[in-house]
Every structure is written in structure tokens, then in C-alpha cells.
Amino acid sequence: MPATHTQSVPRTSTTAAPAVLSLEARLAAVEAAMTVALDEAAVAYEVRTAHIPTTPVVLADVVTLPLTPTLQPSAPYASPVAALLQRAQQRLLIDGWCAGSQVREDGARCLYGAVRVEAAGDRSLEARGLEVLMDAIRADFGDADSVPTFNDRWADGRVPMRILGQAAALADNRGQ
């Protein structure tokens, strides 16, 4: 019987050996996958909650610190209208804020009442201060028709006092 020779042909694998990734490469891949997952979750959240009406929250209205008499006022503004609005804000910090009247029996005042008393009878200064205050109110809220109307819509003085501070900064930026 003739001897048959079987040739063994080496088989080549069509799959390559798995590449070994460095730690940085693996972390980058995981970060990319997480970014995609978070982006998809954000889109899903927006789609699922688009029908829910929301009101934006200003962090300054939520985070408050107790006011104590030891707090020192910031440096006074040089321009007259900015200084007036800053004094009105300090008056509210010290005497208190109120809604529904210019001044209460305990000395608390509304925005208009604080500006008026700090203007000390200077009607021109008072009018310019109230004008800048309305500009600040309209910049954030847009729908107020007067300072007293805006003041009276709040249950506490956080937002009105914040707007008064913003108005003082606005007047200072304008050089008023």
C-alpha cells in the first residue's frame, strides 16, 4: 500500500487577537459612552416634560441668609440715583419690607416708600430712581406696570430687595 502523505496546512485565523487598550483609552471610551447616554437621557427628559408649565427659579430668591445688624453696607455708589437706590435697599434691610402700603406702623416700607423717603423730598431724584427701578423690573419680569404693583405681588421682600440692588447697580453702570 502506498504511503499517503497528508500535508498539514497551517490554518490562519481570520480574527485578530484582541488589542490591549491602555487605561486612558478605556476611560476615554467609557466617558464617550456615558456622554452619549446622558445626552439621550436629557433629550428624553425634555420630551417627557415639555407639557409641564414651569416658572424659572432665581437662585438668589431661594438661598437666603439671616440678616443681622452686624452686617455692614457695601461701599456707597458715587452717582446720585445709584446711591439713592442703594440707600433705599439698606432702609428695607433695617426697617423691613411690606406690601400693600408705603409704610406700616412698625416702619416697614414698600419699594416705592423706601425710594421716596430716601430721596428726602427731591422729586427729580425720586422720579429718576423709580425710572431705573422700573427698567430693572422690566428686564427681569417684563409685565409690571408700576413699582407698587410689582412690590405688592410678593409675599416676602426677597425678590423686591434683590431687584432694588440690581437697579442700583444698573444706575451705577449708566452713571446716573
Side-chain angles (χ1 to χ4, degrees), residues 10-75:
R11 294 189 182 190
T12 58
S13 173
T14 57
T15 59
V20 177
L21 296 176
S22 68
L23 177 62
E24 289 81 14
R26 289 189 310 225
L27 288 174
V30 169
E31 181 182 8
M34 289 302 297
T35 300
V36 169
L38 288 172
D39 288 345
E40 289 175 353
V43 169
Y45 173 79
E46 291 296 326
V47 168
R48 290 185 192 128
T49 60
H51 68 282
I52 301 172
T54 59
T55 304
V57 174
V58 177
L59 200 53
D61 298 339
V62 179
V63 178
T64 61
L65 300 173
L67 300 175
T68 63
T70 59
L71 292 176
Q72 297 297 318
S74 56

Side-chain angles (χ1 to χ4, degrees), residues 84-95:
L84 165 69
L85 294 170
Q86 186 180 38
R87 288 192 313 271
Q89 185 183 36
Q90 290 300 317
R91 164 102 35 197
L92 293 181
L93 285 171
I94 294 167
D95 294 345

